[in-house]
Amino acid sequence: MTQHSTPLRFITAGSVDDGKSTLIGRLLYDSKALLTDQIKTLNAGKEKGNKEAIDFSILTDGLEAEREQGITIDVAYRYFSTAKRKFIIADTPGHEQYTRNMVTGASTASAAIVLIDASQLNFNEKPLQLLPQTKRHSAILRQLNCPHILVAVNKMDLLDYSEEKFNAIVEAYRQLAAQLGLKDVHFVPVSALLGDNLVYASESTSWYQGEPLLTILENLPSVDEVGHSNADLYFPVQLVVRQDADKADDFRGYQGRIERGSVQLGQTIRIEPNGLTAKVTEIITPKGEVTQAVAGEVITLRLDRDIDISRGDLFVDESSPLTPQKQLEATICWFDERPLNTARKYLLKHGTQTVFAKISEIESVLNVHTLEQESGATALKMNDIARVRLSLQKPIVATTYEENIAGGAFILVDEATYNTVAAGMIL
């Protein structure tokens, strides 16, 4: 059985106490991905707590505060593989206070497992209402263009594996997915604690004709996380390298990672924001010189002429339509406990460059209960998701987030505290 060439990055998302850490722990346990010392840790935790069942969340809740409170606070990454695929898991917090950590984990994910604690829902409500954090996380996943959503309806054992209640949750989430524009959505009834439908099909859900969660993850289409190699070049300069500056053979190279497209010897490129052009005379990789490099590779480029180039400048195709701009429209998720102040300047970090920016207008804020965009807001509070307009002190060359993640993503930083106050996706 052949493996996919690239690992699948996925996250868990959902509300507090819906079993995200337990699901990951059980997934690792049942797929035989744990080391001997990890299994001993699980058994020791069971003996210490005098429990009948193993506490699988021990494997991901590494902070002492997480174990004390029984909640996930920070993003925990775990790695495992099967005969068919390698995986990188990000266990993200469910608590509203730590939504910013969920955004961090989701920003690089190709798939998301959205857990729904079936035991917390009121099935007497018509129509059935999902929890606000489920809606918020799903909205964030849509803004981040996460291509695959796996809805794990958890704690089915507490509902006697009711097919009727599972179908009610499926219908409620399908309506949510339609409102948000989520497309590739899968539904699996599970019990994370007991292992139902995680690695192996469960006899308790004979009515479920789909595959276990791990099988679905193994068969998801591969997603190129760094962009398409046949697209236009997008190469942010991270470092300018100078060697032997006092000699005739002065070396000047420009280092960074190709975020999209490709570059080859002799190609004419354009340097932004100054708009000057030059030809590529040398492409150096960690393995030596090459004639061509593609998206995802870290390289050093040399050009046929000396141009004033510094960190934050951008190399694009000579015919690229991208141009510098000082006005942006974007979706942002506000992280800071202090509300947004539209009169203040913030540091906008985009790729390898940082510029001052102000939010000139709040166009609308997403109501996570109704999923409607509401206008008229004059400030943003923590965890608000809003469409805004930004004015920059200096122009940047950006793409839309949907077109190219590296060219369309940014963060806002408070210049006084250096706290990251927001993450943004350029529209």
Side-chain angles (χ1 to χ4, degrees):
M1 194 180 298
T2 58
Q3 279 195 339
H4 288 262
S5 58
T6 57
L8 179 73
R9 291 175 174 266
F10 70 92
I11 71 160
T12 55
S15 299
V16 178
D17 291 335
D18 55 11
K20 295 182 294 299
S21 299
T22 299
L23 180 139
I24 290 178
R26 185 81 200 204
L27 193 64
L28 296 172
Y29 184 81
D30 286 354
S31 61
K32 307 296 189 292
L34 295 179
L35 301 175
T36 303
D37 60 335
Q38 293 174 311
I39 295 176
K40 288 182 179 178
T41 300
L42 285 178
N43 292 329
K46 179 180 177 181
E47 294 171 3
K48 183 178 179 181
N50 194 25
K51 300 176 181 177
E52 296 182 2
I54 296 175
D55 181 7
F56 291 101
S57 66
I58 292 175
L59 294 172
T60 54
D61 289 344
L63 299 177
E64 184 176 350
E66 292 178 321
R67 294 192 295 269
E68 289 176 351
Q69 300 179 52
I71 63 172
T72 300
I73 296 174
D74 201 0
V75 181
Y77 291 94
R78 292 294 179 268
Y79 309 85
F80 78 104
S81 62
T82 65
K84 194 170 184 180
R85 198 165 208 169
K86 294 180 179 179
F87 299 95
I88 302 174
I89 315 171
D91 180 24
T92 63
H95 198 285
E96 182 177 351
Q97 180 181 349
Y98 304 111
T99 298
R100 57 185 178 272
N101 293 350
M102 178 268 175
V103 176
T104 300
S107 63
T108 58
S110 298
I113 299 176
V114 178
L115 269 81
I116 296 178
D117 183 351
S119 67
Q120 291 190 36
L121 302 181
N122 182 3
F123 291 93
N124 293 323
E125 287 184 321
K126 303 297 180 183
L128 181 65
Q129 296 297 313
L130 300 175
L131 297 178
Q133 195 69 337
T134 301
K135 296 180 180 180
R136 179 179 285 106
H137 283 183
S138 298
I140 291 172
L141 291 169
R142 174 63 186 91
Q143 297 299 330
L144 293 170
N145 288 327
C146 186
H148 307 293
I149 307 296
L150 285 69
V151 179
V153 181
N154 193 23
K155 304 184 183 180
M156 288 297 298
D157 53 309
L158 301 181
L159 300 181
D160 296 325
Y161 300 98
S162 169
E163 180 183 8
E164 180 183 356
K165 292 180 178 178
F166 172 75
N167 289 337
I169 296 172
V170 169
E171 180 59 29
Y173 195 90
R174 278 181 174 157
Q175 293 180 12
L176 172 65
Q179 284 182 276
L180 294 174
L182 297 172
K183 296 178 181 178
D184 187 33
V185 183
H186 307 259
F187 299 91
V188 185
V190 305
S191 169
L193 185 63
L194 302 180
D196 291 303
N197 292 322
L198 294 186
V199 177
Y200 309 105
S202 172
E203 296 180 356
S204 301
T205 56
S206 55
W207 43 266
Y208 172 65
Q209 301 302 312
E211 298 172 319
L213 196 66
L214 182 60
T215 304
I216 297 175
L217 289 169
E218 287 180 327
N219 294 319
L220 287 178
S222 295
V223 176
D224 185 359
E225 298 172 353
V226 296
H228 302 288
S229 59
N230 59 352
D232 289 342
L233 174 66
Y234 193 93
F235 178 82
V237 176
Q238 184 171 352
L239 182 67
V240 179
V241 181
R242 293 289 305 277
Q243 293 178 356
D244 299 325
D246 58 340
K247 297 183 181 179
D249 57 343
D250 179 20
F251 180 96
R252 185 194 297 261
Y254 309 100
Q255 293 184 338
R257 187 176 97 146
I258 303 177
E259 299 294 352
R260 188 182 66 173
S262 62
V263 63
Q264 56 189 357
L265 282 180
Q267 177 179 344
T268 300
I269 61 170
R270 194 173 80 238
I271 299 97
E272 293 292 356
N274 59 37
L276 300 176
T277 60
K279 284 190 176 181
V280 177
T281 59
E282 198 172 352
I283 304 173
I284 306 170
T285 73
K287 296 181 180 180
E289 294 185 26
V290 296
T291 59
Q292 184 178 21
V294 298
E297 292 190 77
V298 178
I299 62 172
T300 301
L301 289 182
R302 295 190 71 188
L303 306 179
D304 66 344
R305 52 184 296 210
D306 287 340
I307 300 175
D308 182 13
I309 298 172
S310 58
R311 174 182 169 87
D313 287 347
L314 181 72
F315 293 175
V316 296
D317 288 337
E318 182 183 17
S319 59
S320 172
L322 296 177
T323 57
Q325 49 193 314
K326 294 179 68 175
Q327 306 292 326
L328 298 176
E329 185 177 2
T331 297
I332 67 171
C333 182
W334 191 255
F335 295 156
D336 203 19
E337 294 179 357
R338 291 178 296 180
L340 162 69
N341 183 348
T342 54
R344 285 193 57 189
K345 289 187 302 182
Y346 296 93
L347 293 171
L348 183 145
K349 181 171 172 51
H350 173 259
T352 58
Q353 68 178 144
T354 303
V355 301
F356 280 109
K358 287 181 65 175
I359 295 181
S360 55
E361 180 185 355
I362 301 173
E363 293 184 343
S364 61
V365 179
L366 177 69
N367 184 321
V368 295
H369 299 284
T370 65
L371 300 180
E372 298 291 334
Q373 294 285 346
E374 299 178 348
S375 58
T378 57
L380 298 178
K381 60 182 184 297
M382 191 170 69
N383 296 327
D384 275 347
I385 302 170
R387 290 185 63 150
V388 301
R389 291 187 180 276
L390 298 105
S391 299
L392 312 184
Q393 186 182 51
K394 295 193 302 183
I396 65 171
V397 180
T399 69
T400 64
Y401 184 86
E402 188 170 0
E403 180 185 358
N404 177 17
I405 292 177
F410 65 88
I411 60 173
L412 294 178
V413 178
D414 187 314
E415 63 173 328
T417 64
Y418 285 95
N419 290 334
T420 299
V421 297
M425 290 74 71
I426 297 171
L427 300 173

Coordinates of all heavy atoms in Angstrom, one line a residue, residues 15 114 116-117 120-122 125 127-135 138 151 168-177 368-369:
S15 N -16.7 22.7 20.7 CA -16.9 23.3 22.0 C -16.2 22.7 23.1 O -15.5 21.6 22.9 CB -18.4 23.3 22.3 OG -19.2 24.0 21.3
V114 N -14.6 18.5 13.2 CA -15.5 19.3 14.1 C -16.3 18.3 15.0 O -17.2 17.6 14.5 CB -16.4 20.2 13.2 CG1 -17.4 21.0 14.1 CG2 -15.7 21.1 12.3
I116 N -19.0 17.4 17.8 CA -20.3 17.8 18.3 C -20.7 16.9 19.5 O -20.8 15.7 19.2 CB -21.4 17.9 17.3 CG1 -21.1 18.9 16.2 CG2 -22.7 18.2 17.9 CD1 -22.1 19.0 15.1
D117 N -20.7 17.4 20.7 CA -21.1 16.6 21.8 C -22.7 16.4 21.8 O -23.4 17.3 22.1 CB -20.7 17.3 23.1 CG -21.1 16.4 24.4 OD1 -21.8 15.4 24.2 OD2 -20.6 16.8 25.5
Q120 N -25.0 17.2 24.7 CA -25.3 18.6 25.2 C -26.5 19.3 24.5 O -26.9 20.3 24.8 CB -24.0 19.4 25.0 CG -22.9 19.1 26.0 CD -21.8 20.1 26.0 OE1 -22.1 21.3 25.8 NE2 -20.6 19.7 26.1
L121 N -27.0 18.6 23.4 CA -28.0 19.3 22.6 C -29.4 18.9 23.1 O -29.6 17.9 23.7 CB -27.8 18.8 21.1 CG -26.5 19.1 20.5 CD1 -26.5 18.6 19.0 CD2 -26.1 20.6 20.5
N122 N -30.3 19.9 22.9 CA -31.7 19.7 23.3 C -32.5 19.3 22.1 O -32.8 20.1 21.2 CB -32.2 21.1 23.8 CG -33.6 21.0 24.3 OD1 -34.2 19.9 24.3 ND2 -34.2 22.1 24.8
E125 N -35.8 20.9 20.9 CA -35.9 22.2 20.1 C -36.1 21.8 18.6 O -35.5 20.9 18.1 CB -34.6 22.9 20.2 CG -34.4 23.6 21.5 CD -33.1 24.4 21.5 OE1 -32.1 24.0 21.0 OE2 -33.1 25.5 22.1
P127 N -36.3 24.0 15.0 CA -35.2 23.0 14.6 C -34.1 22.9 15.7 O -34.0 23.8 16.6 CB -34.7 23.6 13.4 CG -34.9 25.1 13.5 CD -36.2 25.2 14.3
L128 N -33.4 21.8 15.6 CA -32.3 21.6 16.6 C -31.2 22.7 16.5 O -30.8 23.1 15.4 CB -31.6 20.2 16.3 CG -30.5 19.8 17.2 CD1 -31.0 19.6 18.6 CD2 -29.8 18.5 16.7
Q129 N -30.8 23.2 17.6 CA -29.8 24.3 17.7 C -28.4 23.8 18.0 O -28.3 23.1 19.1 CB -30.2 25.4 18.7 CG -31.5 26.1 18.3 CD -31.4 26.8 17.0 OE1 -30.4 27.6 16.7 NE2 -32.4 26.6 16.1
L130 N -27.4 24.1 17.2 CA -26.1 23.7 17.5 C -25.5 24.8 18.5 O -26.0 25.9 18.6 CB -25.2 23.7 16.3 CG -25.7 22.7 15.2 CD1 -24.8 22.8 14.0 CD2 -25.6 21.2 15.8
L131 N -24.4 24.4 19.2 CA -23.8 25.3 20.2 C -23.1 26.5 19.5 O -22.5 26.3 18.3 CB -22.8 24.6 21.0 CG -23.4 23.5 21.9 CD1 -22.3 22.8 22.7 CD2 -24.4 24.0 22.9
P132 N -23.0 27.7 20.1 CA -22.4 28.8 19.4 C -21.0 28.6 19.0 O -20.5 29.1 18.0 CB -22.5 29.9 20.5 CG -23.7 29.5 21.3 CD -23.7 28.0 21.3
Q133 N -20.2 27.9 19.8 CA -18.8 27.7 19.5 C -18.6 26.8 18.3 O -17.7 26.9 17.5 CB -18.0 27.1 20.7 CG -16.5 27.2 20.6 CD -16.0 28.6 20.7 OE1 -16.7 29.6 20.4 NE2 -14.7 28.8 21.1
T134 N -19.6 25.8 18.1 CA -19.5 25.0 16.9 C -19.7 25.9 15.7 O -19.0 25.7 14.7 CB -20.7 23.9 17.0 OG1 -20.5 23.1 18.1 CG2 -20.6 23.1 15.7
K135 N -20.7 26.8 15.8 CA -20.9 27.8 14.7 C -19.7 28.7 14.4 O -19.3 28.9 13.3 CB -22.1 28.6 14.9 CG -23.4 27.8 15.0 CD -24.6 28.7 15.3 CE -25.9 28.0 15.4 NZ -27.1 28.9 15.7
S138 N -16.8 26.7 12.9 CA -17.1 26.4 11.5 C -17.0 27.6 10.6 O -16.5 27.5 9.4 CB -18.6 25.8 11.4 OG -18.7 24.6 12.1
V151 N -17.4 16.0 10.4 CA -18.2 16.2 11.6 C -18.3 14.9 12.4 O -18.9 13.9 11.9 CB -19.6 16.7 11.2 CG1 -20.4 17.0 12.5 CG2 -19.5 18.0 10.4
A168 N -30.7 14.0 13.1 CA -31.1 15.4 13.4 C -29.9 16.3 13.5 O -30.0 17.4 13.0 CB -31.9 15.4 14.8
I169 N -28.8 15.8 14.1 CA -27.6 16.6 14.1 C -27.0 16.8 12.7 O -26.6 17.9 12.4 CB -26.5 15.9 15.0 CG1 -27.1 15.9 16.5 CG2 -25.2 16.7 15.0 CD1 -26.2 15.1 17.4
V170 N -27.0 15.8 11.9 CA -26.6 15.9 10.5 C -27.3 17.0 9.8 O -26.8 17.8 9.1 CB -26.6 14.5 9.8 CG1 -26.4 14.7 8.3 CG2 -25.7 13.6 10.4
E171 N -28.6 16.9 9.9 CA -29.5 17.9 9.2 C -29.2 19.3 9.7 O -29.1 20.3 8.9 CB -31.0 17.6 9.4 CG -31.9 18.5 8.7 CD -31.7 18.6 7.2 OE1 -31.3 17.6 6.6 OE2 -32.0 19.7 6.7
A172 N -29.0 19.5 11.0 CA -28.7 20.8 11.6 C -27.4 21.4 11.0 O -27.3 22.5 10.7 CB -28.7 20.8 13.1
Y173 N -26.4 20.5 11.0 CA -25.1 21.0 10.5 C -25.1 21.2 9.0 O -24.4 22.1 8.5 CB -24.0 20.0 10.9 CG -22.6 20.6 10.7 CD1 -22.0 21.3 11.8 CD2 -21.9 20.6 9.5 CE1 -20.8 21.9 11.7 CE2 -20.7 21.2 9.4 CZ -20.1 21.9 10.5 OH -18.9 22.5 10.4
R174 N -25.8 20.4 8.3 CA -25.9 20.6 6.8 C -26.5 22.0 6.5 O -26.1 22.7 5.6 CB -26.8 19.5 6.2 CG -26.0 18.3 5.9 CD -26.8 17.2 5.2 NE -26.0 16.1 4.8 CZ -26.5 14.9 4.7 NH1 -27.8 14.6 4.8 NH2 -25.7 13.9 4.3
Q175 N -27.5 22.4 7.3 CA -28.0 23.8 7.1 C -27.0 24.8 7.5 O -26.8 25.9 6.8 CB -29.3 24.0 8.0 CG -30.4 23.1 7.6 CD -31.6 23.3 8.5 OE1 -31.7 24.2 9.3 NE2 -32.6 22.4 8.4
L176 N -26.2 24.6 8.5 CA -25.1 25.5 8.9 C -24.1 25.6 7.7 O -23.6 26.6 7.4 CB -24.4 25.0 10.2 CG -23.2 25.8 10.6 CD1 -23.5 27.2 10.9 CD2 -22.5 25.1 11.8
A177 N -23.7 24.4 7.2 CA -22.7 24.3 6.1 C -23.2 25.1 4.9 O -22.4 25.8 4.2 CB -22.4 22.9 5.8
V368 N -22.6 35.1 15.3 CA -22.4 33.6 15.3 C -23.7 32.9 15.6 O -23.7 31.6 15.4 CB -21.3 33.2 16.3 CG1 -19.9 33.8 15.8 CG2 -21.6 33.6 17.7
H369 N -24.7 33.5 16.1 CA -26.0 32.9 16.5 C -26.8 32.8 15.2 O -27.4 31.7 14.9 CB -26.7 33.6 17.6 CG -25.9 33.7 18.9 ND1 -25.8 32.6 19.7 CD2 -25.2 34.7 19.4 CE1 -25.0 32.9 20.7 NE2 -24.7 34.2 20.6

